[in-house]
Amino acid sequence: MQITDIKIRRLTDNPKMKAIVSVTFDDELVIHDIKIIAGYDKMFLAMPSRQLPNGSHSDIVHPTKHSLRERIEQAVLAEYERYTHGEFEN
């Protein structure tokens, strides 16, 4: 499965949530509403989730392998850096 497109859909003013992105795989599957979060010591991704009746959150979609999560995170964060530094075509 290859990442074929990453769209930075919205930057936010929230100090922790930096952006919301969509990632396309093999030009056939798109995952919307992936959040870029500024953690204590690094940026990371939060997969789309829904709030449960008890107030906790559950991922709607997520990678089952750590290697895929890392690949997605590296690609999205690299695109975010290019986007925030004006090095993008959209």
Side-chain angles (χ1 to χ4, degrees):
M1 186 179 320
Q2 297 300 314
I3 297 170
T4 52
D5 191 32
I6 298 171
K7 291 208 183 316
I8 308 295
R9 293 187 20 238
R10 182 172 34 138
L11 297 176
T12 70
D13 292 331
N14 184 315
K16 290 193 179 213
M17 185 173 66
K18 298 300 186 180
I20 298 173
V21 304
S22 295
V23 179
T24 303
F25 297 89
D26 296 333
D27 291 321
E28 295 180 343
L29 173 69
V30 180
I31 301 175
H32 296 290
D33 298 332
I34 298 172
K35 296 171 186 74
I36 299 176
I37 307 292
Y40 178 71
D41 59 345
K42 68 175 189 160
M43 304 263 267
F44 64 93
L45 302 184
M47 291 293 155
S49 64
R50 65 172 178 244
Q51 188 169 8
L52 301 176
N54 68 3
S56 65
H57 288 80
S58 176
D59 284 350
I60 295 169
V61 62
H62 60 88
T64 57
K65 294 188 177 182
H66 185 70
S67 60
L68 178 58
R69 177 178 283 279
E70 285 181 337
R71 208 168 77 216
I72 295 168
E73 191 168 273
Q74 288 172 356
V76 167
L77 293 178
E79 186 68 13
Y80 173 76
E81 286 298 316
R82 282 192 293 277
Y83 188 92
T84 57
H85 289 96
E87 303 170 18
F88 67 96
E89 294 180 26
N90 219 356

